[in-house]
Amino acid sequence: MIAELTARPGPKKYVLFDVDGTLIDAVDNQRRMWGEWARRHGLEPEEVHRVALRTRPVETFAEVAPERDPAECLALLHELEDEDVRSGVYAAFDGAAGLLEALPPRSWALVTSNYEHRVRGRFARTGLPVPEVVVDAAAVAEGKPSPVPYLLAAVRLGAEPRDCLVIEDAPSGVLSGLRAGMTVWGVNAPVAVEGVHRHFASLGEAADAVLAFVGAPSAPGPASKG
């Protein structure tokens, strides 16, 4: 699929952002959704959430509820996630809005393991702009830590992997970017994820360096915008 897409000209440097945990603070939301999912299946919420933090949903179901139909498990999770988009309480990380608004058009993309309609719903509620290129779970057969999601985003932007900067918070996403042959920076964690080329404790602290990577001026106003 990647080879069939036609690359289009654009800026020389590009930034590819993960979403949950990188731009959107969804930790509490994920805990609540997995907790409700676990309760409906008679399982221990904390244990299910612990597994979900390190695996994809289908892998989580196989580990915590191997006797249940994966399709039914996924349908319930999707129902809970869609409801969270409508009524959940969450926020963009400090600095996210100012950073995204300062990036040149077609110099950035979103690469998420979630689905685009949920990303758009959350971005609308938190005031974040949505780029032209969004690679979501429906766009690829292999999710992170496979390099496919980030490679697809590069192709859609008309970029070479060596010219792309990945911004991630999770080990699987970091590994995905590294396997794609891209520069990977970690954010929103007190300790660097193994393999990152550079680490920032918060997205806001990374903003000026990200803009410098693409040759854009620093975002105006306080770093906490967003």
Side-chain angles (χ1 to χ4, degrees):
M1 177 173 62
I2 292 177
E4 295 174 355
L5 295 173
T6 301
R8 290 177 286 175
K12 292 182 179 180
K13 296 291 184 180
Y14 305 80
V15 187
L16 311 180
F17 292 94
D18 172 53
V19 177
D20 290 340
T22 298
L23 296 172
I24 295 285
D25 186 354
V27 173
D28 289 341
N29 304 69
Q30 292 295 324
R31 183 182 296 277
R32 284 195 300 271
M33 284 185 290
W34 278 111
E36 179 61 22
W37 184 93
R39 283 186 286 273
R40 293 196 190 185
H41 287 92
L43 300 171
E44 170 54 44
E46 286 302 316
E47 173 61 18
V48 171
H49 182 250
R50 183 188 65 79
V51 175
L53 284 174
R54 58 178 173 78
T55 60
R56 289 176 292 178
V58 173
E59 296 165 342
T60 301
F61 307 147
E63 183 168 339
V64 303
E67 75 288 354
R68 297 185 180 274
D69 181 353
E72 292 182 1
C73 291
L74 188 60
L76 175 57
L77 182 63
H78 284 175
E79 176 187 326
L80 294 171
E81 288 189 316
D82 286 341
E83 176 57 32
D84 176 72
V85 171
R86 294 188 292 268
S87 61
V89 178
Y90 47 84
F93 281 105
D94 287 348
L99 170 57
L100 300 185
E101 289 166 0
L103 287 166
R106 285 198 58 79
S107 71
W108 63 287
L110 302 177
V111 181
T112 176
S113 298
N114 211 319
Y115 288 86
E116 184 172 352
H117 73 278
R118 294 188 192 120
V119 172
R120 289 185 176 276
R122 289 179 175 184
F123 274 40
R125 292 188 59 197
T126 53
L128 297 181
V130 178
E132 181 178 334
V133 174
V134 178
V135 174
D136 71 345
V140 294
E142 299 178 23
K144 304 172 187 178
S146 165
V148 170
Y150 279 112
L151 289 174
L152 179 57
V155 171
R156 289 183 173 179
L157 286 170
E160 294 294 332
R162 64 177 178 272
D163 295 324
C164 294
L165 170 63
V166 169
I167 306 297
E168 271 280 359
D169 74 299
S172 63
V174 168
L175 187 55
S176 176
L178 293 173
R179 287 175 172 174
M182 300 175 179
T183 300
V184 182
W185 292 354
V187 298
N188 298 336
V191 179
V193 174
E194 183 178 357
V196 296
H197 297 102
R198 194 171 178 184
H199 171 71
F200 299 87
S202 69
L203 179 69
E205 291 179 16
D208 284 348
V210 172
L211 292 172
F213 182 89
V214 298
S218 298
S224 61
K225 182 182 180 183

